[in-house]
Amino acid sequence: MRIDGRKNEQIRQVNIIRNYNKYAEGSVLIESGNTRVICTASIEDKVPIFLKGKGEGWITCEYSMIPRATQIRKIRDAVRGKIDGRTMEIQRLIGRSLRSVVDMKALGEKTIWIDCDVIQADGGTRTTSITGAFIALVDAVNSLHKKKSFKVYPIRNFVSAISVGIVNGDKMLDLCYQEDSNASVDMNIVMTDEEEYIEIQGTGEKNPFSKKDFNELLELAEKGIKNVISIQKGVLKNDCLWIGTGEEIG
Amino acid sequence: MRIDGRKNEQIRQVNIIRNYNKYAEGSVLIESGNTRVICTASIEDKVPIFLKGKGEGWITCEYSMIPRATQIRKIRDAVRGKIDGRTMEIQRLIGRSLRSVVDMKALGEKTIWIDCDVIQADGGTRTTSITGAFIALVDAVNSLHKKKSFKVYPIRNFVSAISVGIVNGDKMLDLCYQEDSNASVDMNIVMTDEEEYIEIQGTGEKNPFSKKDFNELLELAEKGIKNVISIQKGVLKNDCLWIGTGEEIG
Amino acid sequence: MRIDGRKNEQIRQVNIIRNYNKYAEGSVLIESGNTRVICTASIEDKVPIFLKGKGEGWITCEYSMIPRATQIRKIRDAVRGKIDGRTMEIQRLIGRSLRSVVDMKALGEKTIWIDCDVIQADGGTRTTSITGAFIALVDAVNSLHKKKSFKVYPIRNFVSAISVGIVNGDKMLDLCYQEDSNASVDMNIVMTDEEEYIEIQGTGEKNPFSKKDFNELLELAEKGIKNVISIQKGVLKNDCLWIGTGEEIG
Amino acid sequence: MRIDGRKNEQIRQVNIIRNYNKYAEGSVLIESGNTRVICTASIEDKVPIFLKGKGEGWITCEYSMIPRATQIRKIRDAVRGKIDGRTMEIQRLIGRSLRSVVDMKALGEKTIWIDCDVIQADGGTRTTSITGAFIALVDAVNSLHKKKSFKVYPIRNFVSAISVGIVNGDKMLDLCYQEDSNASVDMNIVMTDEEEYIEIQGTGEKNPFSKKDFNELLELAEKGIKNVISIQKGVLKNDCLWIGTGEEIG
Amino acid sequence: MRIDGRKNEQIRQVNIIRNYNKYAEGSVLIESGNTRVICTASIEDKVPIFLKGKGEGWITCEYSMIPRATQIRKIRDAVRGKIDGRTMEIQRLIGRSLRSVVDMKALGEKTIWIDCDVIQADGGTRTTSITGAFIALVDAVNSLHKKKSFKVYPIRNFVSAISVGIVNGDKMLDLCYQEDSNASVDMNIVMTDEEEYIEIQGTGEKNPFSKKDFNELLELAEKGIKNVISIQKGVLKNDCLWIGTGEEIG
Amino acid sequence: MRIDGRKNEQIRQVNIIRNYNKYAEGSVLIESGNTRVICTASIEDKVPIFLKGKGEGWITCEYSMIPRATQIRKIRDAVRGKIDGRTMEIQRLIGRSLRSVVDMKALGEKTIWIDCDVIQADGGTRTTSITGAFIALVDAVNSLHKKKSFKVYPIRNFVSAISVGIVNGDKMLDLCYQEDSNASVDMNIVMTDEEEYIEIQGTGEKNPFSKKDFNELLELAEKGIKNVISIQKGVLKNDCLWIGTGEEIG
């Protein structure tokens, strides 16, 4: 039994409130156990310089935690005057993950800004952010869809993420903070609804790990991701029917 | 009738959820109409250098908005690499307001960090922050009280804030964003439950204003603040009975 | 009797040297007791992005102190790498105060940069800066006037500022540094020559204050401001005759 | 045949010059094809604050490129005033990889600073840095060993890294820059000489990838790493005999 | 005849007002033609880390210009967030020049902060700063002398500086801004009252220059410096009698 | 005999490897004794704003040291968040020195970026950088020449630099780090192959110096520079034949 009563292959309770913010084109409050993240998707009618005139869109992400999202109050990046390495790594990961399932040509010359603001952190903030940001992204893209802003619906796949790790010798799914702190191996997996990988990040800082362990962790992660994707589908209901159709619109 | 259907002397609906965050010693989610702020109070067992060894405590505040708290996505301070002037002004105001009702000698050598993170902004974010932060402060101080951390209960008064302004010639209480944008005169008032002023900030950037107008605005603000303080009392229930007693404890 | 021999309702000696700098379109050295500020007004033929193409001008202010303007040498903002909150608050106040008496449409697409550099500080640096900057502003605007740069003279009113406060129970006008350090209530008032308010900032960090005290302080401030405005008029002589006439020129 | 004439499962020519720098405790110039990195290991007799008094050592890494290491001159981080996300990610990866094979208790309260400065970049700078930095680390640790600075030799394993990817449908080992730019899947693998993983990072930003592809890439990487580790052994000769012995010394 | 009517070997009118600032231990307003600099010397009872416990003092300098010291308003370093290269070069030069004539052992563990704030710039701001800062330094050192703070008077020599250059083929002393802008060769010379050099900086960016030209410029500079040192002596009167005596005091 | 066995008037062994970097238009690895610098020259087809449309080119330099170029590891500028004064001074000096021998009109609207990255420092890094950067500059200019990019060959002279100083009373040429640390007088001289000065920087921070000493040091420097220029000529062989011809091309 895990510290919060779960089984090793069990994810935490996921709650998603759509349209949590009245200004953003897409927004959710997602809770995964005690981890809570506000994800917003904001549409801007221009692209970064390196894409200008190429007829392609862009998706970029910023991630942050409010100071008391954690047990010990963390100094704000704005006060330190710079963004720390962990934050950079996470926001790059979220951006890559969402971009991987979007057809940028179909999106056209628009930028979608994803903001993931963690208001309570209990492990898995990056994977929860990806799962929640995907819903916000769908809602933002659908707002463009309603305006008939593109000919081909640009989202090709669902994307979702989960952590797995080895804690005191046990392989566990969806680690909470205390489990994560004690993990000898720690992995984050990002996958599509077609069971393909987008990102695999496994780290054995405390202990190198074998191929066998690695494969068992991957399998555990796949189970978790299927679970999370079905939650995403339940939350989006009819608003996800266009995903992956690739049909020409109008 | 105002754009949201209120009368000129009517404040917006205020909702306060206490203990919104599981780590902070005090925390609330406060909503004032569409303005929503997470306020946390975090206790640290040391004081800034300028107070070291004086036997006094300190209260300091940081204020921020998530990027899509506003209609147009605002670039993060951490990305700009510096905190803007408006943010500085607001966090200094919140800090001063809370310090004014706390007996720092009674608090002892502790710092209470107040963090106000606006997750949706529709005018009055600074006044809503003060009102909400006060509740978080009381909860944090009460957590010390339970540990018998001081001899005299350090909070002397309730503190609350409200905005008033002149919009299209009408004097209005508790401006929402659209009213605030059109106001010729704009004031923020911070007061105690004993009807004394802590801070009066009135600005007539578009139009200088007369003493008569000023006094009428002040009266309007007082009404609003009484209203807000009674809401604070309703939310705190028995947890505010020590405020202002100044009794020696134990 | 106050520490410098003044009566409670007496302002300090004010000296203003116009054209203190040979390059700026307007410039003064203003002394208010031992507080000394160099104020320059520089004209630039463009406006900030948010005003481009609107046919309006802009006035903005920067405020700074040389390191040894104060009793204890203060580290330079440029060395700290950021501007502190107090400086931001002051420069925003000076900018708002001057903008409030200028018709930006009449000024046309120009920016006037006001720089207030305190070379010796003994209390009241923000109010002295406003009073001095107004003279520099008039001289800069008059240099445009000579070139027939606008059809309507853009300055509508005189503007001046003074501090008041309660020190050891006494209400005092125009506080010097030592008085300011000991004040329980501290206010800065910005007014026009028509006895209208532009800005009222009152703070009772150490002690909340009553409406009665507040009103008496306001009256004291009004006396002081009348006094300062008559000094401004004496210094400007014939160069202020256009102010507030609003007449079409030529 | 690949653009530089290699076979798909062939690594580039690796050259390592030990003691490239006369001041550092360990230093190499490592070339992997056209990629060239100077790696230094510097010993400091203290640890970061979070480790003080715990009797453990620390290894940390900084990574940078000189401006013209790349085809297009890249602006210096010091000029931009901040370190970019890619740099942060890489230096965190190198640090984690080296720490994973060192017994920090055995090292004792010392910090080893690893600096990887890329002087020419042609793909694989992070993997080349890990491979080279390991040699510098061994030389630095051996300099402590000679001074009998610890009881147990602290390096437990060899560590080495390689990239693999899918380029135009082909699975390739050790991508050069042009291959990397065209890869649909891109992975970096860090392994020990005991064929255990330390870090697996696979990204399918352009194309999600299947489990089968992933496993084939992993196998390819393993081959490459064995190859690189044998090169490391050849370069270190007798200076690597203590690695992994874990024997008490003296 | 030069543009301001001077002869080629003539310096500008120098005016020095001592005790210009009421807080600083030493302070002057120095004018050299239209160049005006406020120089303050502030004593601090500690030394930088690298000198701690060595029984020696330190002198350091900061230099800045107010934004409208120049014909075109210059953006503040604090706004740009960094100090520019020219400013760094100048403040390092001033610091070195003053340190070269002070016996740091005799001064003891104190830091003297020299601040040179240019309030109007018309060429020669660095040389004027050195000349003025020396007077401020003497006054600050004398304030220590009065308190019998040292056994040997620490100032060994007068120090003064002047610029020379070749403008349209003519060798000129003490260039004003317009001359400096047109100079093909530009030199700054810092010397003692014993006709020894402290610093020689000659630059022929537009035109390399010959040894003969260089020697003639040096001679011109020496004349100028003798002139300036006699002005310094006139201003200091009896307060410079201890300089260079090296006598044990008391 | 000096610490490294040289005579006082002897320079260190100079080695220059041209085309050290495969991307830069010009690049060298230069060694002067134990001082080693990578100098690259990168051509950009635009000029800074202040030169736009003037038909002139620009040469600018950036200088840096890798952290362990020195005996004690130096913190990176990018980590400190700002460039230190010494670095600024040096890169400004290198830029000025190279610009002084190039006809900017002949170069046309191009910027040549010079990067000097010190990978091992043992005194004389700035003079070694100038000497090496000149070779990189010639190679970059020759790459333009081959493309017939200009009508007049823009390099007018060779430029080279050397240090001299007084160490324990002896006048020495080309100081290594240990000599430099003990020098009472320290000079850097930049000269052309026509024995004209471009820059003379002499500093007597520890001891003011006499005209006689100064002249002897200058003579020593001239000898050294002749020596270095003949090495530059030997390295460039036929690739320097166009320098100073000023002939119209084609």
Side-chain angles (χ1 to χ4, degrees), chain E residues 1-28:
Chain E
M1 273 267 286
R2 293 160 73 176
I3 46 170
D4 54 5
R6 281 185 290 153
K7 294 182 199 145
N8 286 345
E9 71 278 10
Q10 194 181 345
I11 62 166
R12 291 178 288 182
Q13 168 83 27
V14 176
N15 298 315
I16 298 174
I17 301 174
R18 279 166 76 192
N19 302 316
Y20 185 69
N21 173 295
K22 74 174 222 177
Y23 304 121
E25 285 75 13
S27 66
V28 307

Side-chain angles (χ1 to χ4, degrees), chain A residues 170-230:
Chain A
D170 287 341
K171 299 195 179 68
M172 291 181 184
L173 183 62
D174 190 18
L175 311 185
C176 68
Y177 177 71
Q178 198 178 315
E179 291 166 345
D180 188 75
S181 313
N182 295 315
S184 60
V185 178
D186 172 26
M187 287 177 55
N188 291 290
I189 308 294
V190 186
M191 286 185 85
T192 68
D193 52 334
E194 300 187 62
E195 292 174 41
E196 290 198 307
Y197 301 111
I198 288 164
E199 190 101 15
I200 296 175
Q201 294 191 338
T203 295
E205 183 169 339
K206 288 190 205 151
N207 273 82
F209 52 96
S210 69
K211 190 149 194 170
K212 184 172 163 293
D213 282 346
F214 178 63
N215 281 326
E216 287 176 28
L217 287 171
L218 264 189
E219 265 170 54
L220 201 53
E222 278 168 53
K223 273 188 206 160
I225 286 196
K226 273 186 204 167
N227 212 328
V228 178
I229 288 180
S230 74

Side-chain angles (χ1 to χ4, degrees), chain B residues 113-125:
Chain B
W113 292 82
I114 301 296
D115 286 288
C116 296
D117 285 88
V118 179
I119 59 177
Q120 195 166 271
D122 188 24
T125 64

